[in-house]
Amino acid sequence: MRCPYCGSLDDKVIESRTMANGESIRRRRECISCGFRFTSYERIEEKPFMVVKQDGRRQPFERAKLEKGIERALEKRPVSTNTLENIVNDIEDKAFMKGKVSREISTQELGEFVLERLYSVDKVAYIRFASVYRHFENLDEFIDEVNKLGEEKKSER
């Protein structure tokens, strides 16, 4: 660390102290050349988790956006706030695990995680989300998706 007084690069750490719940470290240093004492701070620089849009743009992951979309799909459905919170937590965890190395995930992968989770919780919410996410162009596409649900229901019996 460069001494702010004489510019020398030779110093020694006198004291280290963890700050802000372990988020940073405060170090008291002493320049070996001139004896000047100064303080430095260290903190981890994290690369933000990004969402890659269909057109290639990247945006920071926002839990609130994810929650809002799922909330809309579950609107007026018999699903508790606690369940909504659990769904969002599960999807967020899955997304971070999937994008662990690259620190990013595509909106397509994120949407599939949401559909998968909504399918297991509420079929109406699943259809609502799918209609927006999959951009149904006409009524036939919507009916096909509902029919798939009906066929799966029959095969479960």
Side-chain angles (χ1 to χ4, degrees), residues 47-52 58-61 102-106:
K47 184 178 168 189
F49 193 77
M50 303 299 278
V51 175
V52 182
R58 285 171 167 67
Q59 291 183 334
F61 174 84
S102 63
R103 302 281 304 153
E104 62 184 32
I105 189 167
S106 70

Side-chain angles (χ1 to χ4, degrees), residues 94-105:
K94 242 181 166 175
F96 285 148
M97 289 306 291
K98 175 79 176 176
K100 193 178 200 176
V101 175
S102 63
R103 302 281 304 153
E104 62 184 32
I105 189 167

Side-chain angles (χ1 to χ4, degrees), residues 41 46 51 71 75 84 88 94 96 104 129 133 145:
Y41 294 90
E46 288 190 35
V51 175
E71 208 171 80
E75 198 170 313
L84 168 66
V88 174
K94 242 181 166 175
F96 285 148
E104 62 184 32
F129 191 85
Y133 170 69
E145 193 68 34

Side-chain angles (χ1 to χ4, degrees), residues 34-65:
C34 70
F36 183 75
R37 290 185 175 199
F38 57 99
T39 304
S40 66
Y41 294 90
E42 291 179 29
R43 66 179 59 65
I44 295 173
E45 187 175 329
E46 288 190 35
K47 184 178 168 189
F49 193 77
M50 303 299 278
V51 175
V52 182
K53 302 287 210 168
Q54 285 182 338
D55 64 4
R57 289 180 299 130
R58 285 171 167 67
Q59 291 183 334
F61 174 84
E62 292 181 42
R63 179 188 166 93
K65 274 187 178 180

